[in-house]
Amino acid sequence: MSGSMTTAPERGHWLAALALVCLLAGCGTKQVVVESEFPDPVMNPLPLTLGIWYDDDFANHEFFDEASGRAESSWLVNTGQAQVELWHTLLRGMFRDVVFMNGKPGPGQMNPLVDAVLLPTVDELQYAIPAHTNVKVYEIWMRYRFQLVTLGGEPIAEWTMPAYGKTPTAFMQSDEGAVRLAAIVALRDAGAHFATTFTRVPQVEAWLNSLPRAGGQTQVTP
Amino acid sequence: MTLRLLLLSAVLLPWLTGCVNATVDQMVFNSPTAGIGDASVVILGRRHASDYETEPGFIRCVGGHIEARDPSIRVIDELEFLNALYPWFEPRTAPLRPTDLEKLFEHRDVAEKFAALQTRYMIWIDGSTVRGDSAGSMTCGIGPGGAGCFGFGTWSDDASYEATIWDFTQRAEVGRISATASGQSYMPAVVLPIPIIAPVQGTACDSVGDQLLEFLSHTP
């Protein structure tokens, strides 16, 4: 007889095993890798050459939330690739020139000549799904910390900035898919927030005014 | 016999839908004096509320409804518009009043983009469809002999949307439409669940789309 032939009780065992696997899979770690392309910003670029330095934690940023009970799932949300994509696209549109640094700015570090170097970090990331809140939206909240420093590593400005994204529940959409969409909305919000407030950060504004060539031509905010 | 029953079910099931009640209110402040000609329309969802979000699918549905019934009206896709004018129409930065557009057009690049898109009307839609009361119970089982469900479930859906029309040339709000719809869906199950779904969101989409179409297709 062919190996593919099974009797009814054997088929029952297989179905029971399949059901068990499905149940166990439901309680495993839900992994979300956020990938997206982001649009170029529509704005007049600041007449500056900006250096960027992403540390490893930022470029490979991921968030892990361990399940608090047996009925819940752990979550692993990887935003690193999307973070780099967003900030690369946004900053290229906001500044006349953008240059990637060879190393973290500091005394003795050889880097290309730039006006200042931006060091972004993700301080915190939180998420909420309908199972947590009873509200039919998936939410992602992030807090960024930015440092603007000289080539020698001396601080020019340091500030934090929140970003928020949400997406509604939809028919046939998985939790992972919805969290991924919410993260993309949050990243777009981060870009919008940064682009419209950068020159209004008091320390940045003071620095821009101190540059002889800025001369009031650097306003990009509405 | 079984095959005939299955074929009959396949033909009849798509026609089984629940009943929907819809109400539409229209309040036009400034009727257009002519059709929109070569200009385009953009339909955007408001996403400022914390506890709900206007569904992107609903925005696509309204746009599709307008374009399907009047191919002369060019409706710009929501995401295409948001990307073309990033970051100025994100939930954090989007203008809340028509007068805010003046400030936005101070940016030369933004004004040029608008001119290229030839946008005459911007339509903001705010609202959502929510699941209301539900009742009944259903049990499904799986065993060596097969699988099946038994029981009865029923639930209600309520949709409420408001569309606000901005005219770019006048920098003013020229119309407002609101639509509500509610319906009861049923799911009896004897071995096989039979969903009898009330197309609440679809009815709200048709209601808003028809009213917008009437506004946009207006000729003197």
Side-chain angles (χ1 to χ4, degrees):
Chain A
M1 291 292 274
S2 160
S4 64
M5 296 289 284
T6 55
T7 61
E10 280 175 349
R11 204 163 53 231
H13 292 151
W14 279 110
L15 285 171
L18 185 67
L20 188 65
V21 167
C22 291
L23 281 172
L24 288 173
C27 305
T29 298
K30 293 191 173 183
Q31 187 167 0
V32 176
V33 179
V34 184
E35 290 173 321
S36 182
E37 289 182 358
F38 297 93
D40 294 319
V42 180
M43 50 182 31
N44 199 19
L46 287 166
L48 297 170
T49 301
L50 183 80
I52 312 174
W53 172 249
Y54 302 131
D55 65 18
D56 285 344
D57 283 347
F58 183 81
N60 302 301
H61 178 261
E62 62 181 28
F63 164 81
F64 180 70
D65 182 35
E66 196 168 351
S68 56
R70 294 179 71 178
E72 292 182 5
S73 300
S74 298
W75 281 84
L76 178 64
V77 183
N78 187 315
T79 72
Q81 190 180 336
Q83 296 280 2
V84 171
E85 179 67 30
L86 166 77
W87 292 101
H88 182 54
T89 308
L90 182 83
L91 297 172
R92 267 189 327 179
M94 278 183 68
F95 297 91
R96 186 186 57 202
D97 283 311
V98 172
V99 181
F100 286 95
M101 298 289 99
N102 301 327
K104 188 175 181 177
Q109 173 64 46
M110 295 296 285
N111 270 322
L113 197 60
V114 293
D115 292 307
V117 183
L118 184 73
L119 294 87
T121 49
V122 180
D123 259 4
E124 200 177 345
L125 187 150
Q126 292 176 6
Y127 76 99
I129 59 174
H132 297 163
T133 58
N134 282 331
V135 177
K136 290 183 175 178
V137 290
Y138 292 80
E139 299 168 283
I140 293 273
W141 179 86
M142 288 186 284
R143 188 175 64 218
Y144 286 90
R145 180 173 297 278
F146 296 101
Q147 287 174 283
L148 192 67
V149 300
T150 64
L151 272 174
E154 290 159 14
I156 297 171
E158 183 172 353
W159 72 103
T160 58
M161 186 193 84
Y164 172 76
K166 69 180 193 303
T167 190
T169 53
F171 182 61
M172 295 291 280
Q173 187 177 49
S174 65
D175 281 350
E176 290 93 329
V179 167
R180 184 181 299 117
L181 277 177
I184 292 168
V185 176
L187 287 163
R188 288 180 68 113
D189 181 58
H193 199 176
F194 184 88
T196 53
T197 58
F198 176 72
T199 56
R200 292 206 300 252
V201 175
Q203 292 163 306
V204 174
E205 195 175 9
W207 173 69
L208 287 172
N209 289 335
S210 73
L211 295 173
R213 64 183 166 195
Q217 299 169 32
T218 52
Q219 293 299 311
V220 289
T221 53
Chain B
M1 182 65 180
T2 314
L3 183 67
R4 200 177 296 171
L5 267 174
L6 279 171
L7 282 172
L8 191 68
S9 305
V11 171
L12 289 179
L13 273 177
W15 298 97
L16 285 176
T17 57
C19 295
V20 180
N21 289 321
T23 310
V24 179
D25 293 321
Q26 187 181 29
M27 186 166 60
V28 175
F29 303 118
N30 219 342
S31 297
T33 53
I36 65 167
D38 292 336
S40 62
V41 175
V42 63
I43 303 174
L44 301 169
R46 278 280 182 214
R47 305 210 165 85
H48 291 92
S50 59
D51 57 341
Y52 71 89
E53 183 158 289
T54 309
E55 301 91 345
F58 185 80
I59 305 298
R60 280 195 297 275
C61 175
V62 174
H65 185 92
I66 293 170
E67 279 192 317
R69 280 158 184 77
D70 188 346
S72 70
I73 299 174
R74 189 164 64 93
V75 180
I76 302 172
D77 177 69
E78 184 183 29
L79 187 59
E80 182 189 328
F81 182 86
L82 296 178
N83 284 346
L85 284 151
Y86 184 77
W88 305 108
F89 283 85
E90 297 301 298
R92 182 184 293 277
T93 52
L96 295 171
R97 293 170 295 276
T99 47
D100 295 341
L101 290 170
E102 286 296 343
K103 213 169 185 181
L104 198 53
F105 287 143
E106 286 172 10
H107 298 275
R108 186 171 43 83
D109 298 353
V110 175
E112 282 171 3
K113 280 274 181 185
F114 265 100
L117 289 169
Q118 290 185 293
T119 311
R120 169 78 192 272
Y121 292 111
M122 175 175 280
I123 299 164
W124 289 100
I125 295 183
D126 190 7
S128 66
T129 302
V130 293
R131 177 70 42 93
D133 300 331
S134 59
S137 69
M138 194 178 295
T139 311
C140 294
I142 185 168
C149 297
F150 185 79
F152 178 78
T154 179
W155 65 91
S156 66
D157 286 306
D158 297 292
S160 176
Y161 294 93
E162 185 177 67
T164 309
I165 308 166
W166 290 1
D167 185 333
F168 277 114
T169 52
Q170 299 177 39
R171 307 274 200 274
E173 182 179 319
V174 292
R176 197 172 276 241
I177 293 158
S178 65
T180 57
S182 60
Q184 192 78 23
S185 300
Y186 306 94
M187 177 122 51
V190 180
V191 182
L192 199 69
I194 303 166
I196 305 169
I197 308 290
V200 175
Q201 196 178 60
T203 305
C205 165
D206 291 346
S207 304
V208 173
D210 285 341
Q211 294 296 310
L212 288 174
L213 198 60
E214 197 178 308
F215 179 87
L216 297 168
S217 303
H218 181 90
T219 47

